[in-house]
Amino acid sequence: MSLFKTPRTSLAEERLEKEIHDLLHALEHLKSSASRDTRNNYERLRDRAEGLLQHSRHRYHDTGHDLARHCRKISECAYDCVRSHPWSSLAVGVGAVALLGMLFARGRDR
């Protein structure tokens, strides 16, 4: 015990100890609360990501079917057009091949 210790000093020390104890208790509570909140936020975020992934899969599946249906319609139209105009189709095909040949030949010269 110090010579300068008075009842007031002892009371101040007790208050300081109580404040430190209360602060430590509050920090422990904050730590556990933050851990719980982080876990809840993680679970919520994971659930949302899984939901978005499922939604994207469904959209991808639907888009794939729509694209396949559209390509079938285009191929049917192209087939009908070629059957209706065989000579014109042959001329367009020869022209396309000639154009591609010129582009490839031009690229080689560079």
Side-chain angles (χ1 to χ4, degrees), residues 24-38:
L24 288 174
H25 180 71
L27 287 173
E28 284 295 322
H29 179 69
L30 179 62
K31 179 181 150 189
S32 65
S33 176
S35 175
R36 188 174 45 251
D37 289 347
T38 300

Side-chain angles (χ1 to χ4, degrees), residues 36-54:
R36 188 174 45 251
D37 289 347
T38 300
R39 190 172 35 255
N40 290 340
N41 287 338
Y42 169 75
E43 289 171 0
R44 206 171 326 138
L45 184 61
R46 187 190 65 213
D47 291 343
R48 184 173 177 216
E50 287 175 354
L52 288 172
L53 180 62
Q54 289 296 333

Side-chain angles (χ1 to χ4, degrees), residues 49-63:
E50 287 175 354
L52 288 172
L53 180 62
Q54 289 296 333
H55 178 71
S56 295
R57 283 183 181 157
H58 291 301
R59 292 278 312 240
Y60 174 75
H61 184 69
D62 293 344
T63 302

Side-chain angles (χ1 to χ4, degrees), residues 8-27:
R8 265 191 148 172
T9 309
S10 177
L11 186 61
E13 287 176 352
E14 287 177 17
R15 285 184 185 165
L16 184 59
E17 284 180 12
K18 183 177 180 335
E19 285 182 25
I20 290 172
H21 175 69
D22 291 345
L23 181 60
L24 288 174
H25 180 71
L27 287 173

